């Protein structure tokens, strides 16, 4: 068997795997197989082809993977709304998760709200914002200190 066909077959296999995963798992080996294919076409010894395959693959992996990952990593956009977690608000419409009702006023803005534990919360109650899910605040009533 001629080695050129083996390296060409490996290039195709690695390309198919890379296309199926899109996770940058085998693209480095495609470069290594290309180098080995070039060596095979120049009638290099088998040991040199294999050495080139591994050397080029490792160099590409070490040099390019961090750079490519940096540009392909999904960027999360932090909004100002996330800064409201932990703040307190006033219930302006009774919160009832079963009937999907409830609203709170936070910094002059009306928000839809739901109770974190599912219990109803009365109008006028001070609540703490535990999380934000879409456009709804997930809240917990703030305990009233006893005098």
């Amino acid at each position: 068997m001629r080695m050129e066909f083996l390296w060409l077959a490996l290039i195709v296999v690695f390309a198919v795997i890379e296309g199926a995963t899109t996770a940058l798992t085998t693209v480095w080996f495609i470069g290594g197989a290309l180098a080995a294919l070039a060596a095979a076409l120049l009638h290099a010894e088998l040991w040199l082809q294999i050495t080139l395959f591994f050397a080029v693959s490792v160099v590409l992996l070490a040099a390019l993977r961090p750079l490519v990952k940096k540009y392909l990593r999904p960027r999360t956009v932090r909004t100002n709304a996330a800064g409201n977690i932990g703040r307190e608000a006033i219930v302006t419409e009774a919160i009832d998760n079963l009937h999907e009702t409830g609203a709170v006023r936070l910094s002059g803005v009306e928000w839809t709200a739901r109770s974190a534990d599912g219990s109803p919360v009365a109008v006028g109650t001070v609540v703490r914002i535990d999380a934000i899910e879409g456009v709804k605040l997930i809240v917990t009533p703030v305990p009233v200190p006893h005098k």
Side-chain angles (χ1 to χ4, degrees):
M1 177 177 171
R2 294 182 49 158
M3 290 307 294
E4 295 90 350
F5 295 118
L6 174 66
W7 295 120
L8 191 57
L10 284 175
I11 290 168
V12 170
V13 167
F14 291 139
V16 167
I17 292 171
E18 188 61 39
T21 63
T22 66
L24 299 176
T25 53
T26 60
V27 69
W28 327 109
F29 302 118
I30 294 170
L34 280 170
L37 175 62
L41 290 172
L42 295 172
H43 306 291
E45 295 291 325
L46 180 60
W47 67 268
L48 181 58
Q49 295 173 36
I50 294 171
T51 302
L52 276 172
F53 170 75
F54 284 112
V56 170
S57 296
V58 167
V59 167
L60 287 174
L61 179 66
L64 297 178
R65 190 165 202 271
L67 181 67
V68 171
K69 278 293 198 181
K70 177 181 174 184
Y71 289 106
L72 292 182
R73 184 180 314 134
R75 301 186 201 290
T76 56
V77 177
R78 183 167 170 83
T79 64
N80 292 339
N84 291 325
I85 295 175
R87 293 185 59 201
E88 293 182 355
I90 303 289
V91 176
T92 58
E93 178 187 343
I95 298 172
D96 186 344
N97 290 8
L98 292 176
H99 293 99
E100 296 183 355
T101 61
V104 299
R105 181 167 297 280
L106 173 68
S107 300
V109 177
E110 194 86 14
W111 287 78
T112 303
R114 297 294 178 262
S115 172
D117 63 1
S119 63
V121 183
V123 172
T125 305
V126 177
V127 292
R128 182 186 65 248
I129 300 163
D130 295 331
I132 300 175
E133 293 180 2
V135 294
K136 292 182 181 80
L137 299 181
I138 308 303
V139 299
T140 303
V142 174
V144 178
H146 297 314
K147 295 183 183 181

